């Protein structure tokens, strides 16, 4: 039954082998997979914040909706977020103004402010216990950056209608000398407690939810999933990165990996605020990595200090000669210096963010289609972008005029972002040179338990993994999307594509698009 659900177990079900604090501390539900052909007004593919919010908006308006999810609810990037809910955009208003103009920067600010308000209203209306809290956020300088960045952002954010203030000190972090830019009325929550409650409301309103249901084919009016057909007037592809759009969108946005640690701090001793630095301006990446911090209630005597950052392009951790272990260690050292009362690190995980080259998400009709919609390009603002996606796409489906339609139109072309577009395109093209590289290892005999690698077998590139019990799994290491050579991600034990961010479990199963299919098995002998 699509409405009834049972307790879910997220072991081996999330988009990586590390478990986030949210997955560890929420009561997750799973639903039955799709087992028959069905017909609905709208089918939504993906049960993260974008898909669930869209389904919630449509079912509240009385629409007949089905949500299909190939893992469990929020087993994608929503389960790996840090859930700052903000209108302080990580691509900066000063940048938005340059690329899209003053009026559009204002419209973007309004949409993110409306998304925070939507979450707050929904929490109140539905009586959801998800620790939703309003608090201030502080943007402060990375050592590589200059005060002008804060001054420009102060001016641009105020022009966009956000009453930011320059303050002398960074509240809560005495190590930082200041100044900082204060963003008022930001928020945070436990994202899974919020979204699991929304799923319940969707089902109460007659919405159908199917988990372990993989969309295999998508065309106007029809989705094939688990071999069954779903006829629908509207299709919403809320898979974080679109799996229906083979090429266009994936030249305009790029997948990055970002890392998180959560450490114990004595309860109530760290100020309630959000903090972000302005990012490492010496970094080689187009999307500059920055550090983001919040706290979260944990047990009777502790809060968690949750710090994220150390980003790099997916599948390219080695490009800076910084291992994934070092990235966690860098985060920990950074946090200990600024929060010396921090003790044990109790969670570590990483996840994927999708960075649009022109700094705005792509939300709306998929270019070239009539009734297929996409929600993607969140950058580090997916809590609000996912919510905006739900609000905007449900309006488009119901024929309601929405002021953000043009701003987020996936078909837009932003001439002023051409420089970054070309740099990312160059990086992507360079990945094809991996065909000529030596393998990570010479023979599968070199693989220890729970280790994976890419190796050359004759002219073939092979992705091999030895399970903890010693079984050898081997697959062709060529990404089924557009043919790049995969890389081994030792931290999350997955095979990741350096071109557009497709990812596969150590058993070859696709976990992040744009690839739609699993890796092909490769027969290999131990000797
Ligand atoms: C470490 C980290 C920290 C972050 N911190 C913040 C933050 O503080 N604030 C903020 O605003 N944003 C943050 N983000 C970004 C934000 O978490 C994401 O942008 C957002 O959660 C994406 O939601 P989504 O619904 O688009 O995608 P997802 O949550 O990934 O949902 C997509 C779903 O689609 C499913 N799916 C994929 N393919 C198929 C298929 N073929 N058939 C069926 N189902 C399919 C997947 O299993 C998945 O569950 C962070 C992200 C990361 C990784
Ligand atoms: S994700 Fe595009 S080639 Fe792999």
């Amino acid at each position: 039954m699509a409405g009834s659900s049972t307790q879910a177990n997220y072991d081996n079900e999330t988009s990586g082998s590390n478990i986030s604090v949210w997955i560890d501390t929420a009561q997750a539900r799973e639903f039955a997979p799709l087992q028959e052909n069905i017909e609905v007004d709208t089918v939504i593919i993906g049960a993260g914040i974008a898909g669930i919010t869209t389904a919630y908006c449509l079912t509240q308006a009385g629409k007949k909706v089905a949500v299909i999810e190939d893992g469990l609810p929020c087993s994608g990037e929503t389960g790996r977020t840090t859930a700052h809910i903000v209108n302080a955009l990580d691509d900066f208003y000063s940048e938005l103004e340059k690329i899209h103009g003053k009026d559009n920067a204002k419209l973007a600010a309004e949409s993110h402010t409306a998304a925070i308000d939507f979450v707050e209203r929904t929490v109140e209306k539905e009586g959801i216990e998800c620790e939703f809290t309003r608090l201030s956020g502080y943007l402060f300088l990375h050592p590589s950056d200059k005060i002008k960045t804060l001054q420009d952002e102060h001016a641009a954010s105020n022009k966009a209608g956000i009453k930011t203030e320059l303050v002398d000190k960074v509240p809560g972090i005495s190590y930082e000398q200041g100044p900082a830019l204060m963003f008022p009325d930001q928020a945070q929550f436990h994202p899974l407690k919020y979204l699991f409650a929304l799923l319940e409301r969707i089902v109460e309103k007659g919405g159908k939810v199917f988990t372990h249901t993989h969309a295999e084919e998508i065309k106007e009016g029809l989705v094939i999933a688990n071999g069954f057909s779903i006829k629908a007037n509207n299709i919403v592809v809320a898979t974080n990165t679109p799996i229906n759009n083979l090429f266009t969108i994936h030249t305009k946005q790029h997948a990055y990996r970002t890392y998180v640690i959560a450490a114990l701090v004595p309860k109530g001793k760290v100020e309630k605020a959000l903090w972000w630095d302005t990012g490492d301006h010496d970094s080689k990446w187009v999307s500059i990595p920055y550090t983001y911090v919040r706290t979260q209630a944990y047990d009777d005597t502790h809060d968690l200090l949750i710090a994220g950052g150390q980003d790099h392009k997916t599948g390219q951790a080695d490009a800076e000669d910084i291992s994934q272990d070092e990235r966690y260690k860098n985060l920990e050292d950074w946090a200990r210096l600024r929060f010396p009362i921090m003790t044990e690190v109790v969670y570590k995980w990483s996840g994927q963010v999708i960075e649009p080259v022109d700094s705005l998400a792509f939300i709306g009709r998929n270019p070239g289609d009539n009734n297929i919609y996409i929600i993607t390009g969140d950058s580090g603002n997916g809590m609000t972008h996912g919510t905006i996606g739900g609000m905007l796409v449900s309006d488009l489906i119901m024929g309601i005029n929405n002021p953000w339609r043009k701003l987020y139109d996936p078909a837009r072309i932003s001439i002023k972002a051409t420089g970054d577009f070309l740099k990312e395109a160059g990086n992507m093209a360079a990945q094809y040179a991996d065909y000529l590289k030596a393998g990570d290892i010479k023979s599968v005999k070199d693989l220890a338990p729970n280790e994976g690698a890419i190796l050359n077998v004759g002219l073939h590139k092979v992705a091999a993994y030895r399970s903890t019990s010693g079984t050898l799994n081997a697959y062709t290491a060529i990404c089924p999307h557009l043919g790049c050579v995969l890389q081994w991600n030792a931290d999350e034990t997955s095979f990741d594509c350096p071109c557009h961010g497709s990812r596969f479990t150590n058993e070859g199963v696709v976990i992040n698009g744009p690839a739609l299919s699993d890796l092909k098995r490769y027969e290999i002998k131990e000797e």
Side-chain angles (χ1 to χ4, degrees), residues 13 55 123:
E13 286 277 6
V123 166

Side-chain angles (χ1 to χ4, degrees), residues 246 250 432 479-484 486 497-502 504 513-515:
L246 190 66
H250 307 294
Y432 285 92
C479 177
H481 176 229
L482 292 175
C484 285
L486 303 176
C497 182
C499 283
H500 314 100
S502 291
F504 305 84

Side-chain angles (χ1 to χ4, degrees), residues 133-335:
T133 312
R134 287 273 189 179
L135 70 186
S136 298
Y138 297 93
L139 178 69
F140 59 91
L141 287 178
H142 184 276
S144 64
D145 204 359
K146 299 206 172 55
I147 179 81
K148 187 168 181 313
T149 301
L150 291 183
Q151 290 163 342
D152 288 352
E153 190 58 2
H154 181 220
S157 51
N158 272 284
K159 265 190 264 170
I162 300 175
K163 302 231 168 304
T164 57
E165 274 173 46
L166 276 170
V167 294
D168 291 342
K169 292 257 170 256
V170 186
I173 313 184
S174 54
Y175 175 86
E176 295 293 345
Q177 294 306 301
L181 185 62
M182 189 273 293
F183 284 77
D185 282 332
Q186 311 300 290
Q188 65 176 34
F189 62 177
H190 187 308
L192 270 49
K193 289 185 182 171
Y194 170 72
L195 290 164
F196 293 162
L198 288 199
L199 268 182
E200 277 174 30
R201 305 303 183 271
I202 290 164
V203 171
E204 280 161 18
K205 289 278 183 187
K208 295 179 175 172
V209 182
F210 302 95
T211 52
H212 296 122
T213 300
H214 179 69
E216 296 142 9
E217 202 185 321
I218 300 162
K219 54 187 181 191
E220 289 280 0
L222 183 70
V223 172
I224 305 291
N226 286 7
F228 297 102
S229 72
I230 306 171
K231 282 195 189 152
N233 298 326
N234 306 290
I235 298 169
V236 182
V237 182
T239 50
N240 195 227
T241 190
I243 49 168
N244 55 319
N245 183 314
L246 190 66
F247 195 70
T248 320
I249 289 291
H250 307 294
T251 60
K252 303 202 278 188
Q253 62 179 19
H254 300 275
Y256 280 71
R257 235 170 149 81
T258 183
Y259 296 78
V260 181
I261 58 154
L264 299 177
V265 288
K267 201 161 196 64
K269 294 290 182 206
V270 175
E271 179 155 339
K272 279 214 177 325
L274 303 174
W275 295 275
W276 322 281
D277 72 21
T278 54
D280 181 359
H281 287 247
D282 298 328
S283 158
K284 67 174 285 185
W285 306 114
V286 173
S287 202
I288 295 177
Y290 68 100
T291 309
Y292 44 97
V293 185
R294 62 170 280 189
T295 58
Q296 164 68 19
Y298 187 55
D299 60 21
D300 291 345
T301 48
H302 296 101
D303 291 329
L304 289 179
L305 183 90
I306 303 176
Q310 294 285 313
D311 306 13
H312 60 79
K313 277 197 86 172
T314 295
Q316 299 184 36
D318 294 349
E320 294 170 300
D321 282 331
I322 308 171
S323 71
Q324 294 170 299
D325 284 347
E326 280 173 271
R327 289 176 193 272
Y328 285 121
K329 181 74 174 52
N330 292 345
L331 266 181
E332 187 179 336
D333 291 347
W334 185 98

Side-chain angles (χ1 to χ4, degrees), residues 31-111:
F31 298 79
L34 183 66
Q35 284 158 343
E36 59 184 354
N37 300 331
I38 58 168
E39 221 172 310
V40 286
D41 285 337
T42 302
V43 58
I44 295 157
I45 307 169
I49 189 164
I52 293 176
T53 309
T54 310
Y56 175 75
C57 292
L58 288 171
T59 48
Q60 289 293 307
K63 300 289 171 197
K64 207 171 147 199
V65 163
V67 180
I68 61 169
E69 160 59 53
D70 67 1
L72 290 167
C74 301
S75 60
E77 303 320 302
T78 300
R80 305 185 150 253
T81 188
T82 50
H84 300 212
I85 320 170
V86 297
N87 57 16
L89 302 187
D90 64 0
D91 284 342
F92 291 10
Y93 288 99
S94 48
E95 198 57 26
L96 277 192
E97 196 184 303
K98 269 188 226 149
I99 301 175
H100 299 280
K102 206 162 49 100
D103 292 345
N104 282 329
K106 188 159 187 279
L107 212 50
E110 282 165 11
S111 67

